[in-house]
Amino acid sequence: MIDTPFEMTEHPHRRYNPLLDEYVLVSPHRMKRPWQGRVEKLPPVERPQHDPKCYLCPGNTRANGVTNPNYDQTYVFDNDFRSLLDGVPEAPAPAHPLLTAHTVQGTNRVICFSPRHDLTLALMPVDEVRVVVDLWADQTTELGQTYKWVQVFENRGEMMGSSNPHPHGQIWAENVLPNFVAKEHVTQRKYYQENGSVMLLDYAQVEAEQGERIVIENDDWLVVVPFWATWPFETLLLPRQHVLRLPDLTDTQRNGLAAILKHLLIRYDNLFEVSFPYSMGWHGAPFIDESLDHWQLHAHFYPPLLRSATVRKFMVGYEMLGEPQRDLTAEQAATRLRDLSPVHYLERD
Ligand code: H2U
Ligand code: ZN
């Protein structure tokens, strides 16, 4: 029996994720246990500006024999190994409802963020990150004319399964809403119907007032470790104004976005002095013929690291069978990220 009043920094509790309508178990008392694992740093990896063996560098030939142009900013191409295809025939009616399958139509693209093999978004100049923002927006507009969903994302680092260190992201577009997006569509709509306001605008407001989960902010954007974060250093990037999709961002909002992206990623790299692995991606209103006022553009960052450049969080055991669990609270993670130097560790004197 614990005879002290409930403290979020002391006692196990479950936090509600309103976007996914699910819970995460938080066990802050476990932070007190001894840790005997190694806390190592990795030696910095020296990468050339151009790697003759890289599939994404300008002028190189890809796995399927196509040669990349000598691009000098960004470069988009159809993924040579697409997971989604167009013109797929209709699947037959299921033999039993428990064996249901549907046809899906779609496409996949790869975006090179820079011709420089050795850079990352954290190390690119802000005006070059801005070019990437514009490209994400333009691709969303273009693919949104054909598909209901356009998923812009980046897998960074070997730990996340990225096949190549060259700065790049991907876009998958399809004629259905994938699971997480379908969930966010329903939860945001329900919140809007019940409260008459936009869930993630209300959330940004509460976070701006409370401050304790803010990592970094500027006039148009806010980065928080969400109250319901599952990954140790997960963050949510939110506009302060109501925005449905990337292409709707104004020139000023895009500049602010490029700046805050770079500075978030610098802090991530500085945390364990390593090029921080993560999966990040954008969620905005889908291209469907329904009322969409409940939608708010946002980006999720899901980094796997927990304690050092090599010690990661695994979502296993109870997390596969019950629900996600974390020890470090969202507030503690935000404080750690907020207190880091705004100067990249590789660019310090
Ligand atoms: P990842 O780093 O997340 O693996 O993304 C790289 C993508 O690039 C991957 O989806 C594609 C892979 O299919 N690719 C090509 O389209 N052509 C190539 O020559 C190599 C990789
Ligand atoms: Zn390269």
Side-chain angles (χ1 to χ4, degrees), residues 7-133:
E7 291 271 6
M8 219 136 59
T9 50
E10 291 285 333
H11 300 134
H13 57 279
R14 293 168 84 215
R15 296 194 184 188
Y16 180 64
N17 178 338
L19 274 173
L20 295 181
D21 184 28
E22 62 180 38
Y23 285 88
V24 52
L25 174 63
V26 186
S27 317
H29 57 291
R30 294 187 80 227
M31 291 298 290
K32 292 185 182 129
R33 76 193 188 286
W35 166 249
Q36 294 186 314
R38 286 184 299 170
V39 181
E40 66 250 79
K41 278 188 190 173
L42 293 177
V45 190
E46 291 288 333
R47 280 207 306 271
Q49 294 191 9
H50 183 278
D51 177 352
K53 289 197 290 291
C54 170
Y55 288 123
L56 304 179
C57 275
N60 289 358
T61 301
R62 300 206 299 273
N64 68 345
V66 176
T67 299
N68 298 327
N70 274 312
Y71 63 97
D72 56 14
Q73 271 194 320
T74 55
Y75 173 52
V76 185
F77 62 92
D78 283 336
N79 197 310
D80 301 315
F81 309 97
R82 284 163 62 176
S83 60
L84 292 159
L85 300 171
D86 290 302
V88 184
E90 208 51 52
H96 187 283
L98 292 175
L99 303 173
T100 298
H102 301 286
T103 306
V104 55
Q105 319 282 342
T107 194
N108 312 78
R109 292 180 179 173
V110 178
I111 309 183
C112 301
F113 296 157
S114 162
R116 286 269 304 268
H117 187 79
D118 57 329
L119 295 185
T120 63
L121 289 172
L123 294 168
M124 280 162 58
V126 174
D127 57 331
E128 291 179 14
V129 179
R130 164 67 201 257
V131 174
V132 174
V133 167

